[in-house]
Amino acid sequence: QDKEVNIAVSIPAADHGWTGGVVYHAERAAKLLEAAHPGLKITIKTSPDGASQANALEDLTTQGIDALVTLPHNSDELTDPLRQVKEKGVFVTVVDRALSDPTIQDLYVAGNNPELGRVAGEYLKDTLKTGDVVVIRGLPIVIDEERQKGFDDAIAGSGIKVLDKQFGNWSRDDAFKIMQDYLTKFPKIDAVWCQDDDMAVGVLEAIDQAKRTDIKLVIGGAGMKDMIKRVADGDAMTPINVLYPPSMIATAMELTVANFYDQVPVRGKYILDATLVTKDNAKEFYFPDSPF
Amino acid sequence: MSDNPSKTATVPVLEARGIAKAFGPVEVLTDISLRVMPGEVHAIIGENGAGKSTLMKLMSGHLKPTRGTVAMDGEPVSFAGPVDAEHRGLVLVHQEILLAPDLTVAQNIFMGRELKRGLMVNDREMNRQSAEAVQSLGADIDPTTQISRLSIARRQLVQIARALQVPHRVVIFDEPTASLTPFETEALLKVIRDLRDRGVAILYISHRLPEVGAIADRITVLRDGKLIATREASELQPVDMARLMVGRDMSKLYPEREDTASHQNVLEVQNFHVPGYARDASFTLRKGEILGFAGLIGAGRTELLEGIVGLRTGHGEVKLNGNPVKFKTVRDSMAAGIVYLSEDRKGKGLLLAQDLRTNLTLATLEKFTRGPLIERKREDNSLDKAISDFDIRARRRDLLAGQLSGGNQQKLLLAKMMLLEPSIVIIDEPTRGIDIGTKEQIYKFISDLAKTGKSVIVISSEMQELIGICHRILVMRSSRIVGEVTGEAMTEDEIVVYATGVKINEAELYSAGNA
Amino acid sequence: MTDTKTITDTRGFGRKLADLDKTAVAPFLALAALFVLGALVNPNFLSIDNLLNVLTRSSFIAIIAIGATFVISAGGLDLSVGSMAALVAGIMILFLNSASIDGDVAMLATGIVVALGVGALAGLLNGAVITIGKIEPFIVTLGTMAIFRSVTVWLADGGSIAMKSIAMRNMFRPVYTGVFLGLPIPVWIIIAAGLLGAFILYKTSFGRHVIAVGSNEDVAKYSGIHVNRVRAMTYIIQGICVAIAVVVYVPRLGAATTTTGMLWELQAITAVVIGGTALRGGVGRIWGTICGAFMLEIVGNIMVLSNIVSEYLIGAVQGTIIIIAMLVQRTLQKKK
Amino acid sequence: MTDTKTITDTRGFGRKLADLDKTAVAPFLALAALFVLGALVNPNFLSIDNLLNVLTRSSFIAIIAIGATFVISAGGLDLSVGSMAALVAGIMILFLNSASIDGDVAMLATGIVVALGVGALAGLLNGAVITIGKIEPFIVTLGTMAIFRSVTVWLADGGSIAMKSIAMRNMFRPVYTGVFLGLPIPVWIIIAAGLLGAFILYKTSFGRHVIAVGSNEDVAKYSGIHVNRVRAMTYIIQGICVAIAVVVYVPRLGAATTTTGMLWELQAITAVVIGGTALRGGVGRIWGTICGAFMLEIVGNIMVLSNIVSEYLIGAVQGTIIIIAMLVQRTLQKKK
Ligand SMILES: Nc1ncnc2c1ncn2[C@@H]1O[C@H](COP(=O)(O)OP(=O)(O)OP(=O)(O)O)[C@@H](O)[C@H]1O
Ligand SMILES: Nc1ncnc2c1ncn2[C@@H]1O[C@H](COP(=O)(O)OP(=O)(O)OP(=O)(O)O)[C@@H](O)[C@H]1O
Ligand SMILES: [Mg+2]
Ligand SMILES: [Mg+2]
């Protein structure tokens, strides 16, 4: 058990709720794993954008590492830099965002973005059958595009009509503003889908303040604790949530460590479900101590 | 002057004891000892760069002497700064304009010592007192006007008004009249006499020697940073002063007037308007002629000529050598051989934070480039030539333009614009702040230009100099050209009559006839 | 001499009116143009509800921008206000959650005092480093922007800091949602902050000194004004304004997150400049600034209410509108 | 006239050295201090590999900041460079993907020309609106920042734009990864851009005009300089520098995303200011700027190499280091 292993974790900086959760879970997992394996050293580095993440990857490899666990800002941009890491003989685990060249990653722990959109879309379709929906997107990046596409595919051909889509920048303040304006713009809205729970908080507040009663559903996503709690409490407007746990980084770290310390080599692809959280199973996903 | 306290007082209110000042390795003042008595007007004269302003700054806490001490009432003092000096009753009216351009006249006059009513500033009272203060200087400036909208002369007056607003025992005036016309000058001299009669000590710097003779009780002459002499004013005639300053005889200030003006019109201006500043201006300029523009402050002379050369929006007919021209930008007029030298050498003439070389060649860089490259060597040669041609006194070549003495800045500006080799030169206040020796050089320079077939327009508030060098003088009053004087008629009286509007009927006749 | 009189006379009241026109009115005319655009895009735009929503929303930026007007007219710049808002909000909520004082009202009142104190201290930090260290405000506040943001993220453990007590939240909420005499409370706060700001800037000697320092530092120094003290004070005022904005912000969503206040600095500076204050200093227009903040919020509102552009291109349209608004303003300024 | 003789002729080497001390050397000394810090934090820091990596990476900001030195020393400001980089990169890649010209080399060469053209045009847009519209550069470039970003998002359909042809990518990659005479190609490009920039700024009449305009616009105007033309030209140079940076950037990551170039404007301005160029204009230090860009990148590198601070607080440490570096520089400037 004294094997010396250096693992680097490269993730986005905590610039909004979900990435904040990623950093939190990564740091927590690192402590637990290091405690379990005395020879293990885990270095966590956050980067605010793709280019600086590429820099961080260079710097981490310069220091000499055995494995890299990374949640890339953008797979197109980071494919080449990760290839260079791989060429140095490092074990590469990619989380959430698959690379354009899958041969680079030894292990891929996938959160499933299109699935997050699809599950939300399916639920709306099944619950409402017909109705007018407004959408609040995140920032214009790949994840957002994938979630949107999953959603659009799910409701295609149904009676669900999307009235409007706007970017809320994954910020509750911006979502609040956009929702206020939606409420001004559309006299009747049946449901709101926002790509992220952080934004759902702003949306709910705006609806609350406007005292509008026509909105039946607000569907968020990613499993933020406040929203899961609402689901568990049986809030009528937020009966469900779609899971997209930031703890996937911890899963990936555990699997990577297992590859070095357990006898079984770990390779391939682990896809996490975009689990539908309802009142029935909400308790399982409620972690009051998590910052997200 | 019978009860002049200076005759009785024995302790100088302000005293320099063996002061020296060096900037870097260069000593610009050596061993100056000076005693200023209460109730005297003590004039300091000297060539440009002699060190007058520096001495004043040393004595008013703006600079610290390298050696020697300053004493007040016989006690050595060390000012923490100009504000400290002001608290002790010692104020300096700077040669440069030091006012906040975005604030109004009254706000500047009371800056740092606003009058208050409760928590609030008492604007009404400050405006009233400012208007009064300015009026006592013979000017009429709305105290709510922003400084940035005032001409240099008016700014100078505001600055003087500001200095006189604090309780003072010693007031230092560094070339207060350089940009004033005789009217404002007279008013200022009256104010100074009043101050003196109240026992205030005055230090007074000016290059206008007759003025110095009229106001000063004692005169100190500086040359090259050394004190040459301190004399009773009654002992010195302007010629003597000039001799002491420059170290040689100054018999004749103005060059022999030669009739260099030909009959060929090089510039014809018809009905030129500069919105807000000049109306219906028509005049002609002949080859080899020196044409003067006289007028009171605010008459619009500067703006009219700026409009003609394309520095301001203006419209009207302009013909150059008989061909209609339209100067959209000043570059166009420069290309056509007309240059304009601004009266505002600090704001519009020179880059104060750049060195002499950069400033000298700025308008003519294309002459100093081969391919894309500036030839430093040729620039340096040109600077050498300018320094000797225009007698620019910079003790080091790498000084910034802002570190030159005021007069030397003017010479540098002249040298800069002359590199354009113009055929028509418009000089706005050519000798403002220039010492008498250099004035002579500049007048000679202007008359030499005319001799070589160039034409010169001189805008000046010093009537004597216009009369001394011009072939013809146009007088402007409130935005119009109201009169022309030539030959025998070129007297101060005649010009004043036009400038103040007393001869209004004839003036209007004149401009109607011209249109 | 007689003539001088006639010249000055034309510069009396008439000129003052013209002065006013040029500078103060231009942003309001640009605002009016935006109203027309809004009304064309969506009839709901002119509804009282919508306008009050927008006005209320603009309160954070407006209040912060009032502080920025001081900083900028003294020739400074503060890029840290957004992060500072997040930090102040975070600390205020943490304090409220600590329940260290008996009674919700007392707790809330103390919380507000804490916020104001933290804001003033953060401003003092900026001001002190800038004046004592003689470093460009751009660099200093870019640095403190990173520092404040980082500390907030650290306090929030990467997540968000939310008010725990539901009771206190309900009690606090009306500060954002409440209405008094037909106007939302935040609007009253803008008005109060604007009046106070205008009073300080235009009617007190301190305000005069702010403008003097921004107009020409040397002159101010020679006039016996403590330039550093005045300058540092503007940053403290900025900090206090940020804290006031936070007091309005926190009751809205009851939380500070890592994105709180993101890009507010740019919005505040834009509001100030659109309002007619020059970035080089020496001019300060409180009411123009408030108008500018309102304009920014309206442009965003119009974008959401309109159906014309793809959501991808909204930023482009928004940028263009702001440039055009500025162009309109400049043209009006010159015409008058 | 005799006086002329006494003028000390200080044209020689001695003066140049003294000049150099004060202004140019300070940032390099601050850089040296960072080297010491880096070496203390991690012994790997001083390895050639690491230093070359950092130097190579700093190339984007360094090259952009060279352009920014022109803009800023002429008294302007350009906040749009980051978005402009994204736009130029996006258009360049879309062009390369279009495969409209036979032969990969020809295609790549044309792609580079396209990038330079788009950059120059974007700069011209900024310059034209600023000079003709007489609007504060801050507002104009904040507007175009939004516009360029938006258009990129729209071109990328909300996602990213990646180079399709693997062959072309492999051919292009050495522009970032290649080494020539022991130095990475991007470092050569920095050197070339620096030399060219220094030549233009210090040795040509245009450069002189830039400084004159930034020093005092009125004096420049009265000296017959086309102020607007010079000013607009600095923005075009900035655009071209952005395009050059993009030509180095694209082979590294092979893609343009909606976040490409985010915050580069702040980094570029910081590099310029740390390098000794004043934001108010009239001074320009090309080599200082490059040194500043390098310093910024080193601070980031030290952060990654160190293990002392929590990830949440890295921003705070980074901000502090930059302020301290600036403080060191200012103190050195004054001492000498
Ligand atoms: N800050 C400075 N650094 C270096 N040299 C300076 C500085 N200030 C003034 N000098 C030099 O000191 C000398 C004296 O300048 P000063 O301004 O006192 O002259 P002056 O007698 O007032 O001349 P003028 O009549 O032209 O105003 C000049 O040679 C000038 O270049
Ligand atoms: N603050 C002001 N507001 C409006 N008009 C002004 C103002 N100051 C001056 N003017 C107008 O500008 C014109 C010319 O001003 P200016 O003082 O520049 O003239 P000038 O003849 O060049 O004077 P100087 O002797 O100072 O060179 C006058 O017609 C005057 O009415
Ligand atoms: Mg002098
Ligand atoms: Mg004039």
Side-chain angles (χ1 to χ4, degrees), chain B residues 301-303 343 428-429 459:
Chain B
R301 298 162 297 171
T302 299
E303 286 75 9
E343 60 179 335
D428 202 346
E429 306 290 357
I459 304 173

Side-chain angles (χ1 to χ4, degrees), chain B residues 49 51-54 95-96 174-175 205 207 405-407:
Chain B
K52 305 179 294 294
S53 299
T54 307
Q95 184 174 10
E96 314 79 71
D174 194 349
E175 298 194 37
I205 298 178
H207 288 295
S405 80

Side-chain angles (χ1 to χ4, degrees), chain B residues 62 82-83 86 94 97-103 107-108 111-114 116 119-123 126 135 138-142 144-146 149-150 154 162 183-184 296 298 477-478 500, chain C residues 1-9 11-13 15-16 19 22-23 199 202-209 211-216 218-225 280-283 285:
Chain B
H62 285 77
V83 180
E86 249 183 55
H94 284 262
I97 305 285
L98 273 175
L99 296 169
D102 301 294
L103 293 178
Q107 287 168 350
N108 266 286
M111 185 190 295
R113 43 170 188 263
E114 288 80 8
K116 282 187 230 172
L119 275 177
M120 295 212 279
V121 285
N122 190 347
D123 273 318
M126 286 192 284
Q135 219 134 31
D140 187 0
I141 308 173
D142 180 348
T144 61
T145 316
Q146 258 190 19
R149 300 163 57 94
L150 293 183
R154 290 200 147 112
R162 173 180 160 80
F183 295 96
E184 292 95 7
L296 295 184
R477 181 173 59 81
S478 44
T500 54
Chain C
M1 279 282 148
T2 47
D3 206 74
T4 330
K5 291 263 153 48
T6 64
I7 295 176
T8 20
D9 282 349
R11 289 182 226 156
F13 183 69
R15 212 209 66 220
K16 271 198 192 141
D19 255 17
K22 273 199 204 175
T23 49
F199 177 79
Y202 304 138
K203 298 288 172 194
T204 69
S205 54
F206 169 74
R208 210 41 70 72
H209 296 173
I211 302 289
V213 168
S215 188
N216 187 331
D218 286 335
V219 173
K221 204 172 80 194
Y222 287 144
S223 304
I225 295 173
R280 65 176 163 76
V283 187
R285 313 216 168 277

